[in-house]
Amino acid sequence: MLTFLWKFSVFYFFIIWALFNYVNPEDNLDIPTIAKYFNTKGRYEEVNPYLREDILAVNRSILQPPSPQCQEIHLIAIIRHGTRYPTTKNIKDMQQLYNIVMHNASGEASFLREIQTQWAMWYTEDMDGRLVQKGVNELKHLAVRLSKLFPSLVSEENLRGGRVKFITSSKHRCVNSTLSFKAGLTELWAIKDQEFDHEVNDALMRFFDKCARIVQEVDNSPLALVEINNFKKGPEMRRVQEKIAVRLRVSYSLITHDMAEAAFYLCAYEFAIKAVNSPWCQLFDEDDAKVMEYASDLREFWKRGYGYDINSKSSCILFHDVFSRLNKAASENKSGQQVTEAVTVQVGHADTLLPLLTLLGFFKDSEALTSTNYATQTQRSFRTSHMLPYAANLLLVLYDCGAGDLRLQPLLNERPVTFPGLADQQVSMPLYEDVKEHYRELLQGCDFENECQLFKHPA
Ligand SMILES: *[C@@H]1O[C@H](CO)[C@@H](O)[C@H](O)[C@H]1NC(C)=O
Ligand SMILES: *[C@@H]1O[C@H](CO)[C@@H](O)[C@H](O)[C@H]1NC(C)=O
Ligand SMILES: *[C@@H]1O[C@H](CO)[C@@H](O)[C@H](O)[C@H]1NC(C)=O
Ligand SMILES: *[C@@H]1O[C@H](CO)[C@@H](O)[C@H](O)[C@H]1NC(C)=O
């Protein structure tokens, strides 16, 4: 009898053990295999996978000033808002695709039955791009990581002393991201007796909206976006649409480019917002995802990247603002004063960061991205999935290494990068003087008013 009971319980123990082990490995499968192709809808953790283990992890040894006496004197952090809901236009397309899947799809695949029986459309148009809870957390966590990475700058003393300045775009998702960043710091230091202001400044953080030339000659010009539209109608995209139609068993005509994009967004948003690998992701294999990624990169390239000169020039105002802050900190330090601003936190959009990164020369390939060179662009450096996930950030850290030896270290998404074309700076961080020399033409020109006015005369 006892042996029987023993065997019985061992048997059940084994069953329970097996169940747990079945569930646990599946948690790791919760990351869609196509998650690294989500462009500006991607998670920050896909760019920095070590954060999946520990969201507050930092590695201070990535910063290698040329000598131990170097001290940080100013930090500029230009940060994209955190994870947000889709925009109204995207939600309308998602609803339309959902209706097609519910009413017209007749495939037998299990992912399809899962959508039809277990997945409910929960996105509503009033969500229109608002920051989600995940986005709140991203900015809080980023604030804590920056305080660990730059403890002498992002410090309680500097915050309380008013030496940390916050500037934000007026969009609710940016204001909320700014509030979240501040909350990350006040919660970290348990500050309850003091509040910290932020300045709303669209001229600086939404310059792309204020630049008449970019609005008229790029955003509202169908001709300017011809490469994007041609790729949408091209053979690579058509193949993706056909494969989706086959997987759903619906007529090809129902899966337009917009419907393929809606499916891709559904997979991306379910993952970004809820951290689930949703059945929508099964509509794409990796080859399809690469085509979708390229279509989106193409759009960013022509609308905010190297496609047109005005795209980067629209950020002249932010470019000058950055260097005047660095100059101010440098000269205050030089003249023996305490630096009045230790940290500038500026919260904006992907559309804020991309023109500035482009102006500075980052991620420039030898060939332009076009509708016909998808195949030869597989190794391109211009990849918004790597550059611009939610909470993407460009950090500029000014160091004083003694005797007027100032250095400037740029980091993108918390990884050191080198200023493109600035020779001989692969080993250590460049001299601030050399950086200014490198961008001399822009520092002397690059006038927002002049660049952005319509009917500009050729220089
Ligand atoms: C930290 O960064 C350094 C330099 O890049 C690297 O060698 C080291 O392995 C990193 N440490 C951890 C724990 O990631
Ligand atoms: C899709 O389903 C709707 C609703 O049942 C129907 O009206 C429509 O004709 C179908 N379209 C196609 C192309 O089958
Ligand atoms: C964002 O800010 C608005 C207005 O201050 C507030 O109503 C909303 O709850 C905030 N959302 C989040 C996610 O913090
Ligand atoms: C200038 O910066 C250096 C390096 O941080 C620091 O040692 C020095 O005290 C600063 N000077 C002033 C006046 O703050």
Side-chain angles (χ1 to χ4, degrees), residues 146-371:
L146 293 186
S147 78
K148 290 164 78 178
L149 205 49
F150 307 105
S152 66
L153 295 177
V154 186
S155 67
E156 181 176 359
E157 196 190 347
N158 279 336
L159 182 64
R160 283 189 180 275
R163 289 185 294 277
V164 181
K165 186 164 173 84
F166 298 94
I167 303 171
T168 178
S169 141
S170 66
K171 275 275 166 174
H172 43 45
R173 56 179 168 274
C174 296
V175 174
N176 279 17
S177 293
T178 307
L179 297 175
S180 306
F181 190 99
K182 285 196 266 184
L185 297 181
T186 53
E187 285 165 19
L188 175 66
W189 297 316
I191 298 178
K192 298 207 179 77
D193 57 337
Q194 208 179 339
E195 288 194 357
F196 304 97
D197 286 342
H198 59 258
E199 172 192 326
V200 174
N201 188 339
D202 282 347
L204 209 52
M205 303 315 294
R206 285 184 66 79
F207 51 75
F208 48 90
D209 253 8
K210 311 275 171 201
C211 178
R213 261 188 86 202
I214 214 175
V215 172
Q216 177 156 329
E217 294 178 11
V218 180
D219 290 350
N220 294 337
S221 160
L223 204 62
L225 308 178
V226 64
E227 291 298 328
I228 305 164
N229 292 325
N230 284 348
F231 189 72
K232 286 183 188 173
K233 289 181 281 188
E236 292 92 357
M237 188 57 76
R238 201 175 327 120
R239 176 102 185 91
V240 172
Q241 291 165 221
E242 284 167 3
K243 282 163 79 180
I244 294 174
V246 167
R247 289 181 180 120
L248 291 173
R249 280 224 233 146
V250 299
S251 114
Y252 290 158
S253 65
L254 282 177
I255 306 301
T256 59
H257 165 267
D258 283 357
M259 290 302 98
E261 192 182 59
F264 200 58
Y265 281 159
L266 273 164
C267 170
Y269 277 111
E270 290 287 285
F271 182 57
I273 298 174
K274 295 180 154 183
V276 298
N277 185 350
S278 82
W280 294 100
C281 302
Q282 304 296 312
L283 285 170
F284 300 88
D285 60 31
E286 204 158 340
D287 289 339
D288 305 331
K290 287 177 185 168
V291 173
M292 299 305 293
E293 184 197 33
Y294 189 72
S296 192
D297 281 348
L298 203 51
R299 184 170 54 222
E300 299 298 333
F301 181 89
W302 290 97
K303 289 192 75 168
R304 295 293 178 255
Y306 290 100
Y308 299 102
D309 192 47
I310 187 59
N311 296 350
S312 60
K313 292 290 172 58
S314 68
S315 75
C316 285
I317 190 164
L318 181 58
F319 172 85
H320 283 297
D321 179 75
V322 161
F323 279 92
S324 72
R325 283 173 201 287
L326 295 171
N327 285 341
K328 183 162 172 254
S331 73
E332 283 175 346
N333 182 273
K334 215 176 212 165
S335 67
Q337 288 168 263
Q338 188 180 35
V339 172
T340 48
E341 265 172 32
V343 182
T344 316
V345 175
Q346 301 183 298
V347 180
H349 307 261
D351 285 2
T352 312
L353 273 166
L354 186 52
L356 182 63
L357 290 171
T358 303
L359 191 68
L360 295 173
F362 287 101
F363 306 108
K364 184 167 192 185
D365 299 294
S366 53
E367 300 276 314
L369 278 65
T370 70
S371 57

